[in-house]
Amino acid sequence: MTADAENSRLGRAAKVIIALLWAAFAFAWVRVIRTQPSELINGLLWIGAMAVAYGAGLALWIWYCLCTAQKPKVRCFARSVFTVDHFGRPIEVAPHAALGAKHLVVQIRNGRKIYSLPELPGEEHTAVEVEVFTR
């Protein structure tokens, strides 16, 4: 069998399938035209009930997923995404500090910008002289 003969057989099969689909469409359209108003109302009510049931089920599923999902923790970065600041000074983060901390001490030593946590006073009523930036 040649390629042309096979292509013509496939073309005829496709035309037969398309003709059958058009016939089915025409048959279904005639049935729609002959539909009584009560059947139409019952069909619309059935479709509406299915849509409400689907929406309620979807809402319950989303609520369930939101309730059981793990809540994201606040991420505290131990390093900066930048290696230098605006003035070209290298940035360092002290090992015990996190950039998401509530209070940070920013010091410039030997041309390097160092982020660290403020030191707590050793005794009561003593003050530590550090500049603390809060966000």
Side-chain angles (χ1 to χ4, degrees):
M1 182 179 289
T2 65
D4 292 334
E6 187 165 335
N7 284 342
S8 65
R9 281 182 53 198
L10 289 175
R12 275 184 263 141
K15 289 178 184 176
V16 168
I17 290 172
I18 290 172
L20 288 174
L21 288 173
W22 275 110
F25 176 75
F27 174 75
W29 188 247
V30 169
R31 186 157 183 224
V32 167
I33 290 174
R34 293 185 182 176
T35 302
Q36 300 298 321
S38 63
E39 292 176 348
L40 179 65
I41 291 171
N42 287 339
L44 291 175
L45 288 174
W46 179 251
I47 291 173
M50 287 191 314
V52 167
Y54 177 77
L58 182 64
L60 286 173
W61 178 253
I62 291 172
W63 176 77
Y64 169 76
C65 288
L66 289 175
C67 288
T68 58
Q70 292 181 353
K71 306 299 185 252
K73 295 180 181 177
V74 176
R75 295 170 57 187
C76 293
F77 296 104
R79 61 180 180 81
S80 174
V81 284
F82 302 104
T83 56
V84 295
D85 67 357
H86 178 73
F87 300 107
R89 293 182 292 235
I91 295 176
E92 289 183 14
V93 179
H96 61 280
L99 292 178
K102 189 172 183 177
H103 300 284
L104 282 175
V105 175
V106 180
Q107 298 173 338
I108 298 176
R109 287 189 209 146
N110 299 330
R112 303 179 80 77
K113 186 182 276 188
I114 302 172
Y115 292 89
S116 61
L117 293 176
E119 295 183 21
L120 298 175
E123 299 176 11
E124 287 188 36
H125 307 295
T126 59
V128 177
E129 292 185 24
V130 291
E131 189 173 350
V132 178
F133 295 96
T134 60
R135 14 179 240 166

